[in-house]
């Protein structure tokens, strides 16, 4: 076994989920990530935790979603398992990243609505989402298999305490601010309130790799237009050049150069899917290229992202409304040129450089 797989597992266990003796652990990884599952089980044995492995299959998911139509029952038996679980470890990876590309978007939206209570239960526990490098994701990223392995393991093995301290400077500024304005190029000028909503510092706990700070806009406060110039991959399909216009917090106009039908289905999932649930700032400069994997792409330095759909509970302050949805879809704006982030009218980042980097 590659020693970096053991190191990856140790980071998950000791840093991300802080595994303790007696913890009941669900390890959900595909068969292609069996080496990671083995390393995690070994560490569970050393720590006195109790693991169970759920082998996720995109082929099986595709078969179910294509056959199931637009009506699904909430899987209560899965929810019961999650209620009895202390920590979740989930790794992506697989041979074919486009496996679910021919699942009708309306089927996928219906399924997401059905499993929403299960996902809420999982998110209430300690959890970590990570990536195991496979040839399918390497091909999507335009890399050799070896090159992608190096990319992933370099990204998950940063000095996370140093990254936390760097990001904390932005957290402090966001927590002290009421209004955010994002300006980029000629098409993005959007503003919203974050008053009363706390900012979280992601330094590889729930996401591995980490490298962002994020909060939630006040639900009805989002105004303006935004052009997402970084493409995204969703449901096995690419969505490019997304443009959204907001009034009173809601998407009132949208378009995409490719994947617009899928974007429309996402926005029609439920009422909350037309509102922003997350505003994040990418601060991990070790991730410096688009790989069409949002776990990495949203952390890229010199970017911001907005997610249509659900807001994380921990990013909504007491007395503020939480946006709720079965969807949560992140979209990215490149902030490296002709751009700025303003907090209460003061520029905190200009063309990718934070003010605290110049102090």
């Amino acid at each position: 076994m590659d020693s970096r797989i053991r190191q990856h597992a140790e980071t998950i266990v000791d840093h991300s989920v802080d595994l303790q003796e007696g913890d009941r652990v669900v390890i959900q990884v595909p068969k292609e990530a069996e080496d990671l599952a083995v390393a995690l089980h070994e560490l569970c044995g050393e720590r006195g935790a109790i693991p169970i492995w759920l082998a996720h299959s995109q082929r099986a998911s595709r078969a179910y979603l294509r056959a199931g139509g637009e009506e699904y029952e909430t899987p209560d038996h899965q929810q019961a398992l999650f209620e009895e679980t202390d920590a979740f470890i989930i790794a992506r990876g697989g041979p074919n990243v486009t496996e679910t590309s021919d699942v009708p978007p309306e089927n996928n939206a219906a399924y997401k609505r059905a499993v929403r209570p299960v996902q809420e239960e999982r998110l209430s526990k300690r959890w970590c989402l990570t990536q195991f490098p496979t040839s399918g994701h390497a091909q999507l990223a335009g890399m050799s298999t070896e090159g992608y392995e190096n990319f992933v393991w370099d990204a998950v093995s940063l000095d996370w305490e140093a990254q936390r301290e760097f990001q904390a400077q932005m957290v402090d500024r966001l927590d002290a601010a009421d209004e955010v304005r994002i300006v980029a190029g000629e098409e993005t000028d959007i503003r919203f309130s974050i008053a009363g909503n706390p900012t979280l510092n992601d330094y590889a706990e729930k996401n591995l790799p980490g490298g962002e700070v994020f909060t939630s806009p006040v639900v009805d406060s989002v105004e303006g237009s935004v052009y997402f110039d970084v493409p995204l991959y969703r449901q096995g399909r690419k969505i490019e050049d997304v443009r959204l216009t907001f009034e009173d917090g809601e998407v009132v106009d949208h378009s995409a150069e490719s994947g617009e039908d899928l974007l429309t289905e996402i926005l029609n999932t439920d009422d909350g899917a037309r509102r922003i649930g997350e505003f994040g700032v990418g601060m991990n400069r070790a991730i410096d290229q688009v790989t069409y994997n949002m776990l990495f792409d949203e952390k890229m330095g010199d970017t911001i992202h907005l997610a249509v759909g659900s807001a994380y509970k921990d990013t909504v302050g007491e007395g503020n409304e939480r946006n709720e949805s079965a969807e949560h879809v992140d979209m990215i704006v490149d902030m490296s040129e002709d751009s700025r982030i303003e907090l209460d009218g003061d520029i905190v980042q200009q063309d990718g450089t934070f003010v605290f980097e110049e102090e």
Side-chain angles (χ1 to χ4, degrees):
M1 181 185 298
D2 191 315
S3 62
R4 295 175 297 180
I5 298 176
R6 170 76 184 200
Q7 182 182 358
H8 189 178
E10 289 174 346
T11 301
I12 294 168
V13 165
D14 295 329
H15 175 77
S16 299
V17 298
D18 188 24
L19 202 63
Q20 300 295 317
E21 183 176 357
D23 276 347
R24 295 159 295 185
V25 187
V26 167
I27 298 170
Q28 180 178 310
V29 303
K31 63 181 181 180
E32 289 80 9
E34 183 176 5
D35 280 353
L36 180 61
V38 169
L40 289 167
H41 277 73
E42 184 176 52
L43 289 167
C44 284
E46 293 175 2
R47 306 293 194 276
I50 308 159
I52 182 172
W53 180 10
L54 304 182
H56 180 69
S57 165
Q58 287 285 77
R59 288 184 63 203
S61 295
R62 172 187 177 272
Y64 178 61
L65 292 174
R66 282 176 58 85
E70 296 183 44
E71 293 188 11
Y72 299 89
E73 296 290 330
T74 299
D76 295 334
H77 56 314
Q78 185 181 25
Q79 184 159 353
L81 170 64
F82 285 12
E83 288 171 354
E84 296 299 320
T85 301
D86 298 303
F88 293 86
I89 299 169
I90 303 169
R92 294 173 176 169
N96 183 1
V97 295
T98 64
E99 189 66 60
T100 59
S101 60
D102 56 358
V103 173
E106 56 272 20
N107 293 24
N108 194 77
Y111 179 71
K112 282 185 173 292
R113 288 192 292 269
V115 301
R116 182 178 164 191
V118 181
Q119 297 296 347
E120 291 285 347
E121 183 64 34
R122 179 178 67 79
L123 291 171
S124 72
K125 306 298 180 69
R126 281 177 285 141
W127 57 273
C128 175
L129 171 64
T130 191
Q131 176 75 39
F132 188 80
T134 59
S135 57
H137 281 87
Q139 187 172 27
L140 181 65
M143 298 182 185
S144 67
T145 302
E146 182 181 2
Y148 188 66
E149 289 174 348
N150 294 336
F151 171 80
V152 169
W153 282 320
D154 286 349
V156 302
S157 60
L158 294 185
D159 180 340
W160 292 115
E161 182 57 29
Q163 189 69 25
R164 183 197 67 79
E165 292 178 359
F166 172 59
Q167 293 174 182
Q169 298 173 90
M170 189 61 180
V171 171
D172 291 343
R173 285 165 170 79
L174 284 165
D175 279 343
D178 289 335
E179 185 178 77
V180 177
R181 183 184 181 195
I182 306 295
V183 178
E186 297 181 354
E187 296 190 68
T188 295
D189 191 345
I190 189 169
R191 63 178 71 225
F192 48 85
S193 171
I194 56 171
N197 284 346
T199 306
L200 301 189
N201 188 343
D202 171 16
Y203 57 103
E205 293 177 300
K206 292 179 169 59
N207 282 179
L208 180 62
E212 64 168 312
V213 302
F214 61 100
T215 186
S216 177
V218 174
V219 172
D220 296 332
S221 69
V222 184
E223 298 282 348
S225 297
V226 56
Y227 167 47
F228 298 98
D229 53 352
V230 178
L232 66 143
Y233 216 75
R234 191 74 176 182
Q235 299 175 30
R237 297 167 60 188
K238 188 182 293 186
I239 307 176
E240 294 181 288
D241 295 320
V242 172
R243 291 171 172 86
L244 301 180
T245 300
F246 293 86
E247 293 179 5
D248 298 324
E250 185 175 4
V251 175
V252 295
D253 190 32
H254 71 276
S255 67
E257 292 299 315
S258 65
E260 184 172 323
D261 57 337
L262 176 55
L263 175 64
T264 299
E265 289 293 341
I266 289 169
L267 296 174
N268 288 341
T269 299
D270 48 39
D271 290 342
R274 286 187 168 268
R275 299 181 181 275
I276 296 296
E278 178 190 349
F279 161 60
V281 181
M283 299 183 68
N284 186 341
R285 294 201 173 106
I287 302 172
D288 58 2
Q289 67 181 94
V290 176
T291 60
Y292 303 100
N293 182 339
M294 196 57 70
L295 181 62
F296 293 82
D297 294 351
E298 69 175 358
K299 316 299 193 320
M300 284 189 299
D302 308 341
T303 66
I304 64 97
H305 56 275
L306 299 168
V308 292
S310 61
Y312 295 109
K313 289 182 179 179
D314 291 345
T315 63
V316 180
E318 186 175 353
N320 281 354
E321 178 185 356
R322 178 192 173 206
N323 194 51
E324 298 189 41
S325 173
E327 274 292 3
H328 182 96
V329 180
D330 296 285
M331 292 176 275
I332 301 171
V333 179
D334 182 353
M335 300 291 289
S336 62
E337 295 180 358
D338 192 22
S339 67
R340 65 185 186 274
I341 302 174
E342 296 180 9
L343 300 181
D344 294 336
D346 295 327
I347 295 175
V348 69
Q349 187 197 67
Q350 182 91 45
D351 299 339
T353 300
F354 295 100
V355 293
F356 47 80
E357 293 181 287
E358 298 177 326
E359 293 174 350

